[in-house]
Amino acid sequence: MSVLVTGGAGYIGSHAVLELLKKGEDVIIVDNLSKGHKDAVLGGKFYKGDLRDSEFLNKVFSENDIEAVIHFAAYSLVGESVSMPLEYYENNFICALNLLKVMNSHNVNKIIFSSTAATYGEPENIPILETDKTEPTNPYGETKLSVEKMLKWSDTAYGIKYASLRYFNACGADESGNIGEDHDPESHLIPIVLKTALGQRESITVFGEDYDTKDGTCIRDYIHVTDLADAHILALYSLREDEKSAIYNLGSGKGFSVKEIIDKAREVTGKKIPAIIGDRRPGDPAALVASSRRIKEKLNWNPKFDDIGKIIESAWKWHSSHPHGYNK
Ligand SMILES: NC(=O)c1ccc[n+]([C@@H]2O[C@H](COP(=O)([O-])OP(=O)(O)OC[C@H]3O[C@@H](n4cnc5c(N)ncnc54)[C@H](O)[C@@H]3O)[C@@H](O)[C@H]2O)c1
Ligand SMILES: O=c1ccn([C@@H]2O[C@H](COP(=O)(O)OP(=O)(O)O[C@H]3O[C@H](CO)[C@@H](O)[C@H](O)[C@H]3O)[C@@H](O)[C@H]2O)c(=O)[nH]1
């Protein structure tokens, strides 16, 4: 039987596909390539298509013996979601709705969902626990929280078991340097900092220096993409072992400010990396840091990258060897 990976040509999805293949899983990938790259998919059976198209989805499920779904496909940019909320609801909610409907009609009862730290909003406590309140400060987080609620009711009604993984900030690249992050336009901090190091941008703009944090810039929890990919495999195994549905945070437990990330990248690359201070970006909470105790205890998740310098080094290996991403 096969594992269907939606959004498997995207940044995190392509790393998960690689790890699944290494474990000997039979993998099917669906991606509309709106943001992803066919060259990022290093194996498996690839379908180009859109999850908003139920007929297409039904065909994929009819042609294959699908056991479980890992659902990455979504729009995922905090700032963009504030200016395009309806597109975010349409893509993120409708894709998940169509997927759950087709899963139910084909008796597929396991799904791993890419949720996010953005479901919490402005946290009351750091580190954030899965039981903490969820009040998103942006439409992106709202769409993901709505899907989590739909998953809960689909479990109650149809017995579809889920693991909802609330990732904090995914970063880094596969150690081989063969796949990595390539968004167009790029909006994530670490790739932009590294593109500045490569001389492709004149400077990095720091979005706000007046937050209530140690140096006034936003704090995030940066987690390596391969450690994230590994967590999906553990979640898949747990659903196979009839574990109950659950929500898990995935982060390193350490917070770094925007300025600290820029300084660390200067150290790793040996480049100057000019930075200028700009306005706050709408929708950004001041600080997000995870407690990942639950997934460590319940699924034995054991992240390998616990050093931000090593994480940035892996991203630098990818960016410096692929300065134009997959379009070499
Ligand atoms: N990058 C992060 O830091 C982060 C953190 C938390 C959660 N997430 C979540 O993880 C998932 C993957 O994120 P990513 O950074 O790899 O993003 P990405 O944009 O690189 O990957 C998403 C993939 O989904 C595809 N896709 C989008 N809409 C589709 C549709 N309607 N039909 C078919 N394919 C579609 C895109 O072409 C792309 O390849 C997303 O759900 C995102 O919300 C990401
Ligand atoms: O040019 C830039 C880009 C980003 N930032 C800041 O850097 C931090 C990280 O930003 P970014 O890399 O864009 O990630 P987030 O907005 O934190 O969102 C990521 O991490 C979330 C989980 O925390 C996921 O849900 C999202 O999908 C994913 O894009 C934020 O404080 C940004 O304001 C800058 O200062 N300048």
Side-chain angles (χ1 to χ4, degrees):
M1 294 186 85
S2 311
V3 177
L4 172 67
V5 179
T6 77
Y11 169 46
I12 306 173
S14 59
H15 286 77
V17 167
L18 180 60
E19 296 308 311
L20 285 162
L21 292 169
K22 284 187 195 163
K23 297 278 182 214
E25 298 285 344
D26 193 67
V27 185
I28 294 166
I29 300 107
V30 166
D31 201 299
N32 64 3
L33 300 182
S34 60
K35 310 266 177 183
H37 308 268
K38 181 70 175 56
D39 287 348
V41 181
L42 298 185
K45 180 172 170 188
F46 183 78
Y47 284 86
K48 183 178 177 200
D50 198 300
L51 296 180
R52 286 166 290 192
D53 178 351
S54 319
E55 236 172 79
F56 160 71
L57 261 189
N58 201 41
K59 177 173 167 294
V60 174
F61 275 74
S62 303
E63 285 179 5
N64 299 284
D65 196 6
I66 294 170
E67 178 217 2
V69 176
I70 307 185
H71 179 42
F72 292 101
Y75 291 155
S76 63
L77 305 179
V78 167
E80 184 181 73
S81 78
V82 177
S83 51
M84 298 170 51
L86 300 182
E87 285 85 346
Y88 269 68
Y89 272 96
E90 189 193 15
N91 201 36
N92 294 0
F93 194 78
I94 301 295
C95 289
L97 173 66
N98 283 348
L99 201 52
L100 286 165
K101 278 163 84 175
V102 78
M103 284 173 64
N104 193 35
S105 66
H106 288 262
N107 296 315
V108 178
N109 68 351
K110 299 176 194 67
I111 181 166
I112 295 157
F113 174 59
S114 298
S115 188
T116 165
T119 52
Y120 293 109
E122 204 64 71
E124 278 171 340
N125 306 302
I126 296 281
I128 304 171
L129 298 170
E130 292 85 350
T131 45
D132 286 351
K133 79 167 168 50
T134 45
E135 275 177 26
T137 52
N138 52 67
Y140 164 61
E142 290 285 5
T143 63
K144 293 280 179 171
L145 193 57
S146 313
V147 173
E148 282 195 355
K149 289 179 179 166
M150 181 164 58
L151 287 168
K152 184 184 126 197
W153 293 115
S154 299
D155 182 1
T156 308
Y158 316 121
I160 295 178
K161 298 291 167 209
Y162 65 89
S164 184
L165 306 184
R166 291 180 177 164
Y167 325 148
F168 284 61
N169 289 54
C171 54
D174 184 62
E175 276 183 305
S176 66
N178 293 333
I179 55 172
E181 189 163 9
D182 180 10
H183 295 120
D184 185 20
E186 189 53 77
S187 67
H188 292 101
L189 179 64
I190 292 177
I192 290 182
V193 168
L194 297 180
K195 280 172 186 291
T196 311
L198 282 171
Q200 293 178 357
R201 299 172 68 117
E202 273 178 22
S203 59
I204 164 91
T205 302
V206 176
F207 295 148
E209 197 188 24
D210 57 349
Y211 286 94
D212 185 15
T213 59
K214 50 190 165 186
D215 60 17
T217 67
C218 284
I219 291 179
R220 294 289 179 273
D221 180 335
Y222 295 88
I223 175 79
H224 194 275
V225 65
T226 305
D227 284 330
L228 280 184
D230 287 345
H232 290 73
I233 292 173
L234 295 174
L236 174 68
Y237 293 170
S238 81
L239 293 180
R240 282 182 180 153
E241 283 157 17
D242 280 337
E243 275 286 341
K244 283 200 207 111
S245 296
I247 294 173
Y248 299 103
N249 283 342
L250 281 172
S252 69
K254 293 182 205 146
F256 293 94
S257 73
V258 174
K259 284 186 178 172
E260 284 174 331
I261 292 291
I262 298 171
D263 282 342
K264 191 49 89 174
R266 287 178 177 138
E267 211 179 292
V268 167
T269 62
K271 309 279 182 187
K272 204 164 156 263
I273 314 184
I276 52 176
I277 306 300
D279 292 339
R280 287 184 177 201
R281 188 176 64 179
D284 270 347
L288 293 171
V289 181
S291 160
S292 301
R293 216 167 91 184
R294 180 185 280 181
I295 191 160
K296 285 182 176 167
E297 285 182 2
K298 280 188 72 180
L299 305 189
N300 281 322
W301 181 60
N302 183 16
K304 293 177 201 74
F305 288 84
D306 66 350
D307 179 284
I308 191 67
K310 291 258 164 6
I311 293 179
I312 294 176
E313 254 173 47
S314 76
W316 181 235
K317 184 172 176 185
W318 156 255
H319 286 288
S320 48
S321 60
H322 298 77
H324 304 291
Y326 290 98
N327 305 319
K328 289 164 206 87

